[in-house]
Amino acid sequence: VFASGQGSNARKICEYFSSNPLIQVVLIGTNKTDAGVLNHARDFNIHTITFNKKKMWEQNFIKENLLPFGIDLIVLAGFLLLIPPSWIENYPRRIINIHPALLPKFGGKGLFGSHVHQAVKASGEVETGITIHYVNAHYDEGEHILQVKCPVFPQETPEQIASRVL
């Protein structure tokens, strides 16, 4: 699981699979040394890696940081950096993203976290939700796997929308 911030989705994923004998979260990666997701990794005793944008684009990043864990699937749960082509080549249709809106609306560079929910509220949309999609070389443009919808009520704040989407 890769996340750049507090890691609320990452935590839910860790909780859900914590007692599953067939599926386990073996690594949490982040590009922020102070990311809250690191606390969740400690809570679940999951190995972590922290790296910057330049490092993740290096030729040997996958070999040194991902392959040793035998990773079958990478989940981007609030990870804000564009995924390098080498990752997509090494993990074809095995990198998915959890986006906090109904794509293709409210997707793309800069539309993450609270920015998404503020945009949804400002637009007057009557529904929002999440989109889980395969990752490709562009922000939020990969093939959709699942969309789950929820209503947006006129009196709601972006924070209330975010809470219900989560």
Side-chain angles (χ1 to χ4, degrees):
V1 176
F2 286 80
S4 295
Q6 292 306 309
S8 54
N9 279 326
R11 181 168 191 87
K12 290 292 185 187
I13 292 167
C14 291
E15 287 172 358
Y16 187 83
F17 291 111
S18 65
S19 60
N20 187 311
L22 302 176
I23 298 170
Q24 67 181 141
V25 178
V26 296
L27 177 69
I28 290 183
T30 183
N31 60 309
K32 307 271 185 176
T33 57
D34 61 347
V37 72
L38 295 170
N39 296 324
H40 305 315
R42 279 190 286 279
D43 291 347
F44 289 92
N45 198 31
I46 297 171
H47 186 81
T48 63
I49 58 171
T50 304
F51 51 90
N52 61 30
K53 183 177 180 178
K54 181 182 177 199
K55 177 91 172 147
M56 72 184 274
W57 284 75
E58 290 178 359
Q59 181 71 25
N60 60 351
F61 183 87
I62 291 173
K63 182 179 179 184
E64 292 177 0
N65 295 285
L66 303 182
L67 291 181
F69 291 94
I71 295 169
D72 295 314
L73 180 72
I74 296 172
V75 178
L76 307 181
F79 188 67
L80 304 182
L81 298 179
L82 188 65
I83 298 301
S86 62
W87 289 34
I88 297 165
E89 291 165 11
N90 278 277
Y91 294 95
R93 293 181 61 89
R94 294 188 297 143
I95 305 174
I96 63 174
N97 183 45
I98 303 169
H99 185 78
L102 300 175
L103 295 174
K105 294 180 180 180
F106 311 108
K109 188 172 183 170
L111 281 171
F112 60 90
S114 63
H115 301 288
V116 170
H117 307 300
Q118 290 166 1
V120 167
K121 175 68 177 172
S123 74
E125 289 286 332
V126 296
E127 69 179 3
T128 189
I130 66 164
T131 303
I132 299 173
H133 65 91
Y134 291 109
V135 172
N136 65 19
H138 306 282
Y139 284 110
D140 301 325
E141 292 184 11
E143 177 188 346
H144 295 181
I145 300 167
L146 174 71
Q147 285 190 316
V148 179
K149 298 176 182 180
C150 63
V152 175
F153 302 111
Q155 71 280 9
E156 279 188 304
T157 65
E159 294 78 20
Q160 289 169 318
I161 295 168
S163 178
R164 216 159 9 78
V165 167
L166 177 62

